[in-house]
Amino acid sequence: MRILMLSEFYGKTGGINTHMVELSRFLKKHEVILSSNPESINIKPDIVHVHHAFTPLTFRAIKKANRKRIPVIVTNHTIAPFHNIYFWRLLKLGMKYLDEVNAIIAVSNAAKKFISNFTSKDVIVIPNGVDVKRFEPLKKEKEEKTLLYVGRLSVRKGVQLLIPLLSKCLKEHDAELIITGKDEMFMLYLLKLQRTICKNVGVLGFVPDARLPELYNYADISLMPSLTMESFGITAIESLACETPVIATKTGALPEIIRSGGITTNLWEFPKAVENLLSDPDRIRKLGKQGRKLVEEEYSWEVVAKRIENLYFKVLDGGMHEEHNT
């Protein structure tokens, strides 16, 4: 099978690019082409899989594939910010084009609920995946406790609140907080907080993907203090794969993704949740084991890629075929 995966986010740092690259790696029986150019449809693939439902590239790709009568699948990776006027315009266009595809995937029930507002088609939930052979638990032998944040340095991720919220907890437990992410101005702000509020903080900046398994394994708990709706949370399943439990805010898909592998709580109860878990090493280990089991059963790329491959075959066999206007 020749599969064309398209997204304007291909080749850019972020979850969609990671998803496309990893999925293509686990579909090794097939010819998979990754591109950010809708003209790539001219290579005559058997199926077009577009990642991100609400971009101009998505709409052009759907239109072009329909003209050539090539089946199209769209994966929704996001819950769009309603305060963004540009996204509102794209959402309006989405209502026109999304009913013309053969199948729609959402990476979570939260993402499904969102996109279902803009299409009459059934939406299939197939989550993001993680390489469980690369992200695996390694033996931890250290006395000090470590909290970890991995992700974008942005206000909506809530990372700027971690130092003020957890400074007392870090001092009382003699624990350290490690923050990673790429944004020089944001890093300067965090370093200023570190100097003025709490010394038990390390701001590492950008960490290459190759080092992430080591970092997750070094940590005792991963933190996700997101302030806005999360459509998934790839860092959550990477952490769980390493048997490192996650404490996250109850936003978007995080509760449905983390489940027995961690704790989801309101932002104002975040410090208490961290303190309680730091005080209970047995529970940290238990949540870690449960998280790894959850990932192996539902989020490993072997499982996720097989589900997507089966959907490709179902669409090509006509099980989800619809006639398109030419």
Side-chain angles (χ1 to χ4, degrees):
M1 187 192 321
R2 175 179 272 193
I3 304 157
L4 173 62
M5 290 193 201
L6 280 172
S7 177
E8 68 178 49
F9 297 99
Y10 172 60
K12 300 176 182 178
T13 301
I16 293 177
N17 180 71
T18 299
H19 179 101
M20 292 173 67
V21 171
E22 290 295 290
L23 176 57
S24 67
R25 196 161 65 86
F26 282 84
L27 291 171
K28 52 193 171 187
K29 293 180 182 178
H30 308 284
E31 180 187 0
V32 183
I33 300 100
L34 306 180
S35 177
S36 58
N37 183 358
E39 295 304 313
S40 301
I41 291 172
N42 292 329
I43 66 172
K44 298 181 181 179
D46 296 304
I47 197 162
V48 175
H49 188 172
V50 187
H51 293 268
H52 200 308
F54 301 103
T55 70
L57 179 147
T58 299
F59 307 142
R60 289 198 301 271
I62 293 170
K63 188 175 181 180
K64 191 173 183 68
N66 285 349
R67 283 177 180 167
K68 293 180 176 290
R69 306 187 74 80
I70 300 170
V72 183
I73 293 174
V74 171
T75 291
N76 179 38
H77 291 266
T78 191
I79 301 173
F82 282 100
H83 62 273
N84 190 314
I85 295 174
Y86 174 68
F87 263 111
W88 272 111
R89 292 173 180 169
L90 293 177
L91 294 174
K92 189 175 180 181
L93 276 173
M95 296 176 76
K96 174 183 177 182
Y97 285 102
L98 289 175
D99 283 342
E100 298 178 6
V101 304
N102 294 78
I104 299 175
I105 299 171
V107 295
S108 65
N109 285 304
K112 174 182 177 177
K113 184 178 179 181
F114 176 78
I115 198 172
S116 293
N117 292 308
F118 307 99
T119 179
S120 60
K121 296 187 74 69
D122 290 335
V123 179
I124 304 154
V125 176
I126 303 178
N128 284 311
V130 64
D131 185 346
V132 294
K133 292 179 181 175
R134 189 162 80 88
F135 291 89
E136 61 177 349
L138 303 172
K139 191 174 182 181
K140 302 173 184 176
E141 290 185 1
K142 61 187 185 70
E143 292 185 7
E144 70 277 9
K145 297 295 182 183
T146 303
L147 307 176
L148 174 67
Y149 171 85
V150 173
R152 264 190 236 119
L153 298 182
S154 70
V155 171
R156 71 183 189 88
K157 294 292 185 179
V159 61
Q160 73 279 5
L161 301 175
L162 286 178
I163 297 175
L165 284 174
L166 300 178
S167 59
K168 182 181 177 183
C169 175
L170 291 171
K171 292 170 186 174
E172 289 179 352
H173 288 269
D174 195 24
E176 63 176 339
L177 168 63
I178 296 175
I179 297 174
T180 77
K182 186 179 180 181
D183 187 313
E184 290 184 7
M185 293 304 295
F186 214 110
M187 278 181 62
L188 290 173
Y189 170 73
L190 293 173
L191 287 168
K192 183 178 179 181
L193 287 179
Q194 175 197 31
R195 287 194 298 269
T196 56
I197 298 178
C198 183
K199 306 293 184 184
N200 299 22
V201 179
V203 182
L204 300 186
F206 174 73
V207 174
D209 284 350
R211 284 199 58 203
L212 288 178
E214 174 191 350
L215 206 53
Y216 286 122
N217 274 287
Y218 180 76
D220 296 279
I221 304 168
S222 286
L223 306 176
M224 296 186 70
S226 298
L227 300 178
T228 57
M229 299 287 278
E230 293 281 357
S231 60
F232 192 80
I234 289 178
T235 57
I237 60 173
E238 289 175 346
S239 182
L240 297 183
C242 297
E243 289 190 4
T244 301
V246 179
I247 297 179
T249 46
K250 293 179 179 178
T251 56
L254 293 180
E256 69 174 275
I257 301 303
I258 294 166
R259 281 181 277 170
S260 61
I263 299 167
T264 54
T265 182
N266 298 312
L267 185 64
W268 54 89
E269 294 175 336
F270 208 86
K272 184 179 179 181
V274 172
E275 186 167 355
N276 288 344
L277 195 53
L278 278 176
S279 302
D280 194 345
D282 289 339
R283 192 178 182 206
I284 290 176
R285 284 189 289 271
K286 181 181 178 182
L287 291 175
K289 297 287 185 186
Q290 291 173 174
R292 174 69 186 187
K293 184 174 184 290
L294 174 65
V295 166
E296 288 177 339
E297 292 175 352
E298 297 189 28
Y299 301 126
S300 74
W301 268 120
E302 286 85 355
V303 172
V304 173
K306 187 64 179 175
R307 291 186 63 192
I308 293 174
E309 181 188 46
N310 288 341
L311 180 61
Y312 290 162
F313 284 126
K314 186 175 181 180
V315 167
L316 289 172
D317 288 343
M320 304 184 76
H321 179 72
E322 292 183 6
E323 290 296 321
H324 300 300
N325 295 323
T326 56

